[in-house]
Amino acid sequence: VATLSDHRDSVTHLQFDEAGANLLSSDPSGSIKTWGVLALDDDPVFEKRRKGVRTAIYSPDGASYVTADRKGRVHFYNLLTGDKEKELTGATPEPRVLTMSSDGRYIATGGVGNSITVWEMPLETPVDVLDGHTGEITSLVFSPDNSMLLSADKEGALMVWEIETAY
């Protein structure tokens, strides 16, 4: 057992890469770290602080990490160089959660605005805003076949959205 305890704020997201060798963690202060979990090393392999970032995830191909910031922007960064690859605007106001379909076709954000913004890639523009929650969106996940998006809010509601029929 190893303790990875280098964050200064509460960790809000954890995700393994596809190989299961690295773990990405992020916190509301904008701290993003990757850890080599196979080596059980408590020093981050990669560490970056991005002002205003609320959450971060790996892209499905593992070459990038994706962030959502307080201004409703989604950024893609090269994992090796840290260079910004692209930026999407028009996200949910103050996004707190972010997810990407396993095929990389869709990305979704949710947060304090009680709605979910969905983009279809590579168009890089929002294709839908999903409304229906009465509380802040706390969790988002695409189904394994990418046909559904599941969402949860602070009020305890879970919603299932059919992605293929929405567009």
Side-chain angles (χ1 to χ4, degrees):
V1 174
T3 301
L4 309 174
S5 59
D6 198 40
H7 281 277
R8 295 184 189 153
D9 203 344
S10 60
V11 174
T12 55
H13 186 79
L14 295 170
Q15 180 185 9
F16 278 101
D17 65 6
E18 286 297 314
N22 295 297
L23 176 73
L24 180 137
S25 60
S26 62
D27 69 37
S29 74
S31 181
I32 302 159
K33 301 172 189 289
T34 60
W35 312 81
V37 294
L38 296 180
L40 295 177
D41 189 357
D42 64 350
D43 291 325
V45 174
F46 171 86
E47 184 172 1
K48 191 70 178 175
R49 189 170 185 88
R50 300 273 181 205
K51 186 177 179 180
V53 165
R54 299 295 300 182
T55 189
I57 61 171
Y58 282 118
S59 62
D61 65 6
S64 305
Y65 67 93
V66 186
T67 66
D69 70 21
R70 291 184 177 112
K71 294 182 179 182
R73 297 174 299 196
V74 175
H75 303 274
F76 289 71
Y77 294 95
N78 182 290
L79 194 56
L80 296 177
T81 66
D83 294 337
K84 188 189 309 185
E85 296 173 332
K86 59 182 131 187
E87 177 180 313
L88 308 177
T89 58
T92 306
E94 293 190 53
R96 299 277 201 268
V97 292
L98 147 85
T99 191
M100 197 168 197
S101 61
S102 62
D103 62 2
R105 182 175 174 191
Y106 298 108
I107 189 165
T109 60
V112 298
N114 304 348
S115 63
I116 301 160
T117 304
V118 180
W119 287 266
E120 186 172 4
M121 305 302 287
L123 300 176
E124 299 180 13
T125 57
V127 293
D128 205 354
V129 175
L130 307 174
D131 292 307
H133 281 283
T134 58
E136 178 181 323
I137 310 299
T138 58
S139 187
L140 294 169
V141 65
F142 283 97
S143 62
D145 67 358
N146 302 314
S147 66
M148 295 180 289
L149 175 67
L150 287 78
S151 57
D153 68 28
K154 276 192 172 181
E155 304 298 318
L158 300 171
M159 299 188 82
V160 180
W161 310 89
E162 293 185 49
I163 295 302
E164 292 300 319
T165 60
Y167 315 115

